[in-house]
Amino acid sequence: MTHFDLIVVGAGILGTSHALQAARLGKKVLVLEKDNFPTSATVRNFGQVVPSGLSGRWHRYGQRSVQLYKEIQAEFDISVRANGSVYVASDEQEWQLAHEAEELFRDKAYPTQLLSAEETLARHPYLKPSYVKGSLFFPDDVSVEPDRLVHRLIQYIQQKYGVTYLPNTAVLDCQPTAEGVEVVTARREKYYGQHVVVCNGSEFRLLFPDLFASSGLVVSKLQMLQTSPLPNVTLAGNILTGLTIRRYESFEECPSFARITTPHQYEELKKWGIHLLFKQAMDGSIIIGDSHEYATADRTDELGFDVKEHINELILREAERIVEFPVIKIARAWAGYYAQHPDEILEREVAPGLHIITGIGGKGMTSSLGYAEEKVKEWF
């Protein structure tokens, strides 16, 4: 059969989330992925699912996503671990923001707890006492394995809902017809969908070049590192630091955020968009990062494919200021790229039933399931 209720172009977390939500409504779904498996932003991140870092509707989508992740994990292992997140303040400004954020999240009914320096170090003994002013703990945040989650989720929607998944299937054209939207692949196969949603990052320039040129998309390049397995170190959940408190949008809502200043030791880090996160993978290794360099989507090549050693050195130098364990035991380093948009996400209806949804930025792993649930219910 070549007719579907929903065809998804792109099997990253955003596309797979739309497929899942349509399948949960009993719709017939096809997912087309140009590569052997998803290889872009979805698998090149920390695997931190943190509604605590988001504000507005994205926080709400993140809360719903966490609920769905946990429900799926209860019946099918997609690598979800419910260990929470802690944001560690290192100075008075960050500690003040933590206090204000605790009050804001209490109003949002998202559980959180302020921890003194002593309480923080008791829970996280690998932190250096000289760094810790206090922390803000979010028990409902979760961790996932970025190189495993989407693959397991694709298996889940195939097995539970009968979703058709075709990897190594590049899409050449999407056009509205009397039968819905016609999708043509590189093998000249044709599929028809009542709705087609294109969720393939900045790659939609190949399908809709004029729209792409005027889209306003920006691509961010991130550098991350991963240690060798550290069998004597156990991180209790996601570890986010003072630089993250100074960066994440949830803290921008705090009354004193506009008045914070940049300490001298942060100036070079801020230049490269560096904020320190630590997340332990299931094999005991620890992912550390990250940095941010930006280019408009039509100039992405200027970001380069190299990993800048200077940025990695800055990341590791700051990491050594924060933690006791040996961050120099680096097994690998990589750059990830994700598309983002000034309007929070790029949503375009090219024709009736033909949608482009991309540019979700760093919110994808946390909020895609909740966001897609709302969009799919609109369509059907």
Side-chain angles (χ1 to χ4, degrees):
M1 294 290 291
T2 59
H3 289 72
F4 295 84
D5 298 309
L6 176 66
I7 298 176
V8 179
V9 180
I13 189 61
L14 187 57
T16 297
S17 292
H18 282 83
L20 168 66
Q21 296 295 5
R24 291 176 75 232
L25 294 179
K27 303 302 178 182
K28 185 180 178 184
V29 180
L30 169 66
V31 179
L32 303 174
E33 166 58 44
K34 69 178 177 63
D35 294 315
N36 189 32
F37 46 78
T39 60
S40 195
T42 293
V43 298
R44 301 189 196 185
N45 61 79
F46 281 91
Q48 297 184 343
V49 179
V50 287
S52 58
L54 301 177
S55 60
R57 64 172 177 150
W58 297 102
H59 172 73
R60 176 168 52 85
Y61 294 146
Q63 282 189 276
R64 177 59 176 153
S65 296
V66 166
Q67 181 183 359
L68 292 168
Y69 277 134
K70 290 179 178 178
E71 289 176 3
I72 296 169
Q73 180 66 31
E75 60 176 297
F76 192 90
D77 181 14
I78 56 171
S79 80
V80 173
R81 289 174 285 162
N83 295 327
S85 298
V86 65
Y87 292 73
V88 184
S90 68
D91 61 25
E92 289 290 350
Q93 290 183 332
E94 294 159 8
W95 190 220
Q96 176 64 29
L97 289 173
H99 278 82
E100 294 172 5
E102 190 267 344
E103 189 172 329
L104 290 172
F105 277 101
R106 195 187 317 134
D107 293 341
K108 297 176 183 178
Y110 193 65
T112 185
Q113 180 185 2
L114 276 169
L115 303 175
S116 67
E118 293 75 17
E119 291 170 324
T120 303
L121 290 167
R123 292 191 184 198
H124 308 282
Y126 45 80
L127 294 171
K128 290 187 174 178
S130 59
Y131 182 85
V132 180
K133 187 75 176 176
S135 65
L136 189 58
F137 175 57
F138 292 90
D140 285 2
D141 285 1
V142 302
S143 305
V144 299
E145 296 301 289
D147 58 353
R148 187 178 308 182
L149 173 82
V150 75
H151 307 301
R152 296 290 293 166
L153 205 54
I154 290 169
Q155 292 174 32
Y156 173 74
I157 61 177
Q158 292 179 87
Q159 293 179 24
K160 185 174 178 70
Y161 298 107
V163 169
T164 302
Y165 173 58
L166 299 179
N168 298 307
T169 305
V171 172
L172 296 185
D173 199 14
C174 298
Q175 292 292 335
T177 70
E179 297 180 271
V181 179
E182 180 187 77
V183 175
V184 181
T185 74
R187 290 190 289 268
R188 301 299 173 181
E189 299 157 327
K190 294 183 179 180
Y191 300 96
Y192 299 88
Q194 179 186 350
H195 288 271
V196 171
V197 59
V198 179
C199 301
N200 60 350
S202 59
E203 292 293 335
F204 82 90
R205 62 184 165 181
L206 303 176
L207 296 174
F208 307 100
D210 293 337
L211 178 58
F212 174 83
S214 61
S215 67
L217 274 181
V218 172
V219 173
S220 177
K221 176 184 178 182
L222 302 84
Q223 287 187 198
M224 285 162 275
L225 306 100
Q226 189 166 8
T227 70
S228 302
L230 303 176
N232 297 321
V233 177
T234 301
L235 300 194
N238 305 312
I239 311 300
L240 305 99
T241 65
L243 281 165
T244 311
I245 292 173
R246 293 170 175 271
R247 182 179 178 89
Y248 272 10
E249 63 184 54
S250 58
F251 294 92
E252 292 181 15
E253 296 180 312
C254 296
S256 65
F257 186 87
R259 300 191 299 274
I260 63 172
T261 57
T262 302
H264 174 72
Q265 74 268 20
Y266 284 166
E267 288 177 357
E268 182 72 3
L269 300 171
K270 188 175 181 180
K271 173 184 174 182
W272 296 103
I274 293 171
H275 66 122
L276 265 288
L277 311 174
F278 301 87
K279 187 299 206 51
Q280 191 160 34
M282 286 181 171
D283 67 356
S285 63
I286 295 172
I287 303 173
I288 306 170
D290 56 4
S291 61
H292 296 77
E293 299 174 80
Y294 300 95
T296 56
D298 59 343
R299 311 286 293 185
T300 303
D301 295 343
E302 295 179 2
L303 291 172
F305 56 83
D306 59 314
V307 174
K308 293 183 173 67
E309 190 60 32
H310 174 61
I311 291 177
N312 285 349
E313 289 174 356
L314 290 171
I315 291 172
L316 293 177
R317 190 183 309 154
E318 179 66 7
E320 288 180 327
R321 196 171 75 90
I322 298 171
V323 296
E324 301 277 8
F325 56 79
V327 299
I328 60 171
K329 293 186 176 181
I330 299 301
R332 66 187 188 113
W334 68 93
Y337 299 81
Y338 63 65
Q340 59 190 79
H341 196 268
D343 295 334
E344 298 180 334
I345 192 169
L346 178 67
E347 302 172 318
R348 297 286 188 274
E349 187 170 18
V350 180
L354 177 53
H355 316 272
I356 296 174
I357 298 182
T358 188
I360 196 170
K363 305 181 293 291
M365 191 66 83
T366 296
S367 54
S368 288
L369 284 175
Y371 168 82
E373 181 177 51
E374 186 172 284
K375 296 305 294 185
V376 166
K377 285 180 178 177
E378 288 177 14
W379 301 338
F380 293 108

